[in-house]
Amino acid sequence: MQKPISLSCFLFFFFVYFIPRQSFSCPKDQREFLLEFKKLLTHNIKNHSTQIALGELKTWRPNSDCCKWKLVRCNTRSPSKEVTDLNLNGLVLSGSVSSTLLRPVLRVSSLMRLDVSSNFIQGEIPGDGFGNLTRLISLDMGGNSFNGTIPPELFSIKTLQHLDLSMNAIGDGIGSLVNLSTLSMSRNNFSGGIPSSIQNLTNLETLELENNSGLSGEIPTWLFRLQKLRKLRLGGNKLQWNNNGSIFPQSKLTHLSLSSCGLEGKIPDWLKNQTDLSFLDLSLNRLEGSFPKWLADLKMGNIILSDNRLSGSLPPSLFQSLRLFVLALSRNNFSGHIPNTVGETSLMILKLSENNFSGSVPKSIANIYRLLWLDLSKNKLSGEFPRFIACIARHIFERVLWRCSSFFRVKHRYLNLLRFLRNNSLKGSITEDISTLTSLKVLDLFENSLDGNLGNLTGMVESPTSSSSIVSSFISEITDLSETESQDLEVIWKRVKQVISNRNFYLYTVLDLSKNKLRGEIPTSLGNLKSLKLLNLSHNDISGSIPQSFGGLEKLEILDVSYNNLSGKIPQTLSRLSELDVLDLSNNNLSEQQPKEEDDEEKEATVPWEAVVIGSSCGFLTSVLLMYAVGCFRDSTPRRSPKNRGFKDKVIQLPIPHEEMTTEK
């Protein structure tokens, strides 16, 4: 027999199906404000110079719950489901948009976190709208083109704790926000001294004022009396350090950047008591003396002392720390041997270039299996070329045993840059394990004494869009370097000094093995380096022919194989190199390749080999051809369109002085 429905069950179904349910979507007015913002943003597409990432806004549709939209968060615990978070970072990819775009967003009075950074917004900050944001905790407007001053309405927000206005063109104005914990004003146009009102920000934990060209005067000592201050960045300004002032910090800093702040004498010894310090940048000053042992014993993660006048040897204890990730000591007067303890670190970046280090490269350097960036150029190093297959440590009962069996062998898959450049005297062969460096983007061994065969460089063949891009972005994130010691690579490119940004570093491959004693033939595998931009093998003893595979170097802009013993025909495949601007084949024994039968369209793209220096043995004919190549004779043939252009539209400069083609830092 079926049981009767109880009263409680009846009431449950009644309330669920017959009583109108309360709407749990976001407030209608806030949805309309956000849709107005989208409308203003998409209106900029009509300006063809502006590109906008609309994919993130596809979910922003009328008559839908804005709490379910991408980039939007609501307070789900509140019946009204008000919008609390907007992450609008990087919606504008290029071009520019007006700051009036933000007015609808600033009407969402329930906002607690707002991020509009990296959107190419220009104009003054719309101050009147900030009067509505009485609950705002975090505001990120960095990476735009805001100008003018900071509106006073912004400083009326008593709840504000995090403020980032870095990388804009703001000129002046810092107020008094008692609850502020983060103030980032780097890369703006502030002038005058550090505002005294900052000393009232007793809750301040992070202060970033780097790279404001007009910021000048002395660094106030009261900054170090802010008891909660942890990160202080003042580098890249016109600020000066008062060496006569005594510093008794009341704060426990974790990050300190005083690059280019006029520091003189020895490294300040008040840093001894900063036992929490993990990042120290004192580069671009006039510091003298040795590397203090107490600094090595602080066991920091990042130490940047480049571009000073420091001297003496490095204490071995500096490298006896697994916390050391970045060590940049370039352009000083350090001398002596690089301590063999270097292999006991977890270094990711090691920059010791342009010093007076001598002796051999420590074999233990191969044990730094996380190494991403190694630059020992312009020293007095000698000895054998180091191996780069490391032996990893096994910890057994508090003992460390080094094993080199196949199981414990580590390949340096993520090493991005390897430079043992000029003023070193490394000898021997390029070790075969160099082929295991699958993320290597720059191999610069110019002007050493390396002999043997060129070796297998298949490790550099890896696609530039794979792990190399991940590693390059990882370098930028983990190093936390100042602008003076960023991982940008400076090169002499087509006779002009240029910088490859670390953000685009994975797109470039540079290979310079010139001025050594290399012999043997050029490996055909070099033709697989699709991202290779510069290839310099000049001034060696390389023989054989130029590989046909060089026609696959589609990104190559500079090719120099001069002053070798190359012979045979110049391959016609070089005509495919549409990006090539500089070609030097001189001082070899090369001969002209006989053209094959081609149809008219293919003949348009063939190489005018009369513009190439074929060899020093051709006497008068070579001189004439050289004059032709460098422009003493002008070709009256009309230029072709860029789409089908071959070498006839390229400036082939012969010969190229080697010093104008090598990488520099």
Side-chain angles (χ1 to χ4, degrees):
M1 183 176 179
Q2 191 175 8
K3 294 182 179 180
I5 300 175
S6 65
L7 178 61
S8 59
C9 292
F10 175 79
L11 292 176
F12 172 79
F13 284 107
F14 178 80
F15 281 107
V16 170
Y17 290 101
F18 295 99
I19 299 297
R21 287 175 288 175
Q22 181 181 358
S23 173
F24 287 101
S25 62
C26 65
K28 181 180 178 181
D29 60 337
Q30 294 189 356
R31 181 178 62 202
E32 295 302 320
F33 294 152
L34 297 182
L35 288 174
E36 184 181 350
F37 166 79
K38 178 183 178 180
K39 182 179 179 181
L40 291 174
L41 186 64
T42 54
H43 179 73
N44 283 274
I45 297 179
K46 295 180 180 179
N47 180 358
H48 297 295
S49 63
T50 302
Q51 295 184 352
I52 299 171
L54 293 178
E56 299 291 339
L57 301 180
K58 285 184 178 180
T59 57
W60 292 32
R61 296 188 298 268
N63 302 320
S64 62
D65 183 3
C66 65
C67 293
K68 297 180 180 179
W69 293 354
K70 286 186 177 182
L71 314 180
V72 179
R73 285 188 180 181
C74 299
N75 183 3
T76 56
R77 297 179 181 179
S78 170
S80 58
K81 295 184 68 175
E82 294 177 324
V83 176
T84 58
D85 292 46
L86 282 178
N87 183 7
L88 307 178
N89 166 274
L91 292 177
V92 181
L93 303 178
S94 64
S96 62
V97 293
S98 171
S99 59
T100 57
L101 175 79
L102 298 177
R103 294 191 180 278
V105 173
L106 300 180
R107 295 176 191 161
V108 183
S109 58
S110 56
L111 279 178
M112 301 177 68
R113 282 165 287 273
L114 175 61
D115 186 349
V116 294
S117 60
S118 302
N119 277 308
F120 297 92
I121 303 174
Q122 63 180 9
E124 294 189 359
I125 298 175
D128 51 349
F130 284 104
N132 302 319
L133 305 182
T134 57
R135 306 182 199 174
L136 197 63
I137 297 174
S138 176
L139 175 62
D140 190 345
M141 306 180 77
N144 287 292
S145 299
F146 289 113
N147 54 33
T149 60
I150 302 175
E153 293 88 350
L154 190 59
F155 298 107
S156 66
I157 309 175
K158 301 302 182 184
T159 55
L160 195 62
Q161 298 178 19
H162 175 91
L163 176 61
D164 189 344
L165 297 176
S166 60
M167 292 184 287
N168 281 287
I170 299 170
D172 197 6
I174 294 180
S176 157
L177 298 168
V178 293
N179 292 318
L180 201 64
S181 63
T182 301
L183 178 59
S184 181
M185 308 292 293
S186 301
R187 301 183 192 180
N188 277 287
N189 294 327
F190 291 108
S191 58
I194 297 176
S196 59
S197 57
I198 291 180
Q199 62 184 313
N200 299 323
L201 308 182
T202 55
N203 289 306
L204 199 62
E205 297 178 7
T206 299
L207 176 60
E208 298 177 340
L209 297 175
E210 288 181 300
N211 299 297
N212 285 281
S213 58
L215 202 59
S216 59
E218 289 188 358
I219 298 176
T221 56
W222 51 255
L223 282 172
F224 300 94
R225 293 197 292 268
L226 295 172
Q227 295 184 5
K228 294 186 178 181
L229 193 64
R230 295 295 177 265
K231 297 183 179 181
L232 177 61
R233 297 180 181 276
L234 302 177
N237 295 298
K238 295 180 180 178
L239 296 168
Q240 293 294 316
W241 183 266
N242 184 358
N243 294 319
N244 298 322
S246 299
I247 300 294
F248 301 100
Q250 299 179 25
S251 54
K252 282 290 186 180
L253 296 172
T254 60
H255 290 63
L256 176 63
S257 172
L258 297 177
S259 65
S260 187
C261 284
L263 273 68
E264 297 181 348
K266 295 183 178 181
I267 295 175
D269 58 3
W270 60 265
L271 292 172
K272 291 180 182 179
N273 300 322
Q274 296 296 313
T275 54
D276 293 340
L277 201 61
S278 64
F279 177 93
L280 177 65
D281 184 358
L282 302 179
S283 60
L284 287 166
N285 284 291
R286 295 184 292 276
L287 295 172
E288 299 176 345
S290 60
F291 193 107
K293 187 178 183 301
W294 60 258
L295 181 58
D297 294 339
L298 284 179
K299 309 298 183 185
M300 280 188 279
N302 301 261
I303 301 177
I304 304 169
L305 300 174
S306 301
D307 297 283
N308 279 285
R309 302 169 184 175
L310 299 168
S311 59
S313 58
L314 298 180
S317 59
L318 172 63
F319 300 102
Q320 294 174 320
S321 169
L322 294 177
R323 293 177 56 187
L324 186 61
F325 297 136
V326 176
L327 180 63
L329 305 178
S330 300
R331 294 171 295 281
N332 277 284
N333 297 315
F334 289 113
S335 59
H337 291 197
I338 299 174
N340 197 50
T341 52
V342 67
E344 300 178 25
T345 67
S346 296
L347 276 167
M348 295 183 178
I349 293 176
L350 177 59
K351 304 178 71 174
L352 304 178
S353 64
E354 299 186 53
N355 281 283
N356 294 310
F357 290 111
S358 58
S360 59
V361 179
K363 293 181 179 180
S364 67
I365 210 165
N367 297 324
I368 314 174
Y369 67 95
R370 297 204 297 179
L371 196 61
L372 302 175
W373 187 285
L374 175 62
D375 191 351
L376 306 180
S377 62
K378 296 188 179 181
N379 279 285
K380 298 176 181 178
L381 298 170
S382 58
E384 299 289 328
F385 188 83
R387 297 185 61 85
F388 285 94
I389 293 182
C391 309
I392 63 174
R394 294 184 66 191
H395 294 263
I396 303 176
F397 303 112
E398 299 182 355
R399 288 185 307 141
V400 180
L401 300 179
W402 291 98
R403 296 282 184 91
C404 238
S405 64
S406 59
F407 183 78
F408 294 106
R409 197 166 287 170
V410 179
K411 295 180 178 180
H412 291 71
R413 294 190 57 216
Y414 301 114
L415 189 61
N416 254 220
L417 180 142
L418 179 58
R419 299 183 78 187
F420 297 98
L421 202 121
R422 65 181 73 222
N423 293 333
N424 284 308
S425 302
L426 296 182
K427 61 183 180 180
S429 302
I430 300 175
T431 55
E432 291 185 3
D433 55 12
I434 204 80
S435 64
T436 66
L437 306 180
T438 55
S439 291
L440 191 62
K441 304 305 297 177
V442 175
L443 178 59
D444 190 342
L445 305 175
F446 162 62
E447 203 173 38
N448 279 281
S449 299
L450 298 171
D451 54 18
N453 293 330
L454 190 56
N456 187 356
L457 299 171
T458 55
M460 301 178 73
V461 173
E462 186 167 303
S463 169
T465 58
S466 55
S467 69
S468 298
S469 60
I470 298 173
V471 171
S472 294
S473 60
F474 183 61
I475 288 177
S476 180
E477 291 176 7
I478 60 97
T479 57
D480 199 21
L481 297 181
S482 70
E483 192 163 313
T484 59
E485 270 296 335
S486 66
Q487 294 311 298
D488 295 346
L489 177 68
E490 185 178 284
V491 298
I492 301 298
W493 203 266
K494 303 169 195 172
R495 300 190 178 188
V496 178
K497 186 177 290 187
Q498 296 186 22
V499 172
I500 300 175
S501 170
N502 57 1
R503 297 179 181 178
N504 301 320
F505 186 55
Y506 71 96
L507 297 174
Y508 295 83
T509 303
V510 175
L511 179 57
D512 191 343
L513 305 178
S514 57
K515 286 201 173 181
N516 280 282
K517 300 176 182 178
L518 298 172
R519 57 181 184 271
E521 298 186 356
I522 301 176
T524 58
S525 60
L526 285 185
N528 296 324
L529 304 182
K530 302 299 182 183
S531 63
L532 194 64
K533 290 284 189 179
L534 182 152
L535 175 58
N536 194 342
L537 304 176
S538 65
H539 295 271
N540 278 289
D541 194 22
I542 301 172
S543 57
S545 59
I546 298 176
Q548 296 281 341
S549 61
F550 273 21
L553 300 175
E554 54 193 35
K555 301 295 184 181
L556 196 65
E557 298 182 15
I558 298 175
L559 174 59
D560 187 353
V561 293
S562 62
Y563 291 92
N564 280 288
N565 292 315
L566 296 171
S567 58
K569 306 290 186 181
I570 300 173
Q572 283 191 333
T573 55
L574 295 184
S575 64
R576 304 173 188 167
L577 306 181
S578 58
E579 301 296 323
L580 194 64
D581 282 334
V582 177
L583 173 65
D584 194 347
L585 309 178
S586 64
N587 292 280
N588 283 287
N589 298 308
L590 298 167
S591 58
E592 182 179 359
Q593 172 73 50
Q594 295 297 326
K596 299 178 181 179
E597 289 295 325
E598 302 166 337
D599 49 17
D600 292 338
E601 184 175 352
E602 290 178 340
K603 288 181 180 179
E604 287 290 320
T606 58
V607 178
W609 298 115
E610 67 271 21
V612 179
V613 174
I614 297 175
S616 59
S617 62
C618 295
F620 176 75
L621 178 59
T622 299
S623 301
V624 175
L625 293 180
L626 177 59
M627 294 170 66
Y628 180 91
V630 298
C632 294
F633 303 107
R634 300 295 181 185
D635 187 359
S636 59
T637 306
R639 289 185 176 270
R640 295 169 180 78
S641 63
K643 182 178 180 180
N644 294 319
R645 67 184 183 180
F647 280 158
K648 287 187 178 181
D649 289 327
K650 295 296 183 182
V651 178
I652 303 178
Q653 306 173 33
L654 304 170
I656 308 296
H658 182 275
E659 288 73 11
E660 295 185 303
M661 295 181 59
T662 55
T663 55
E664 290 288 341
K665 178 64 181 169

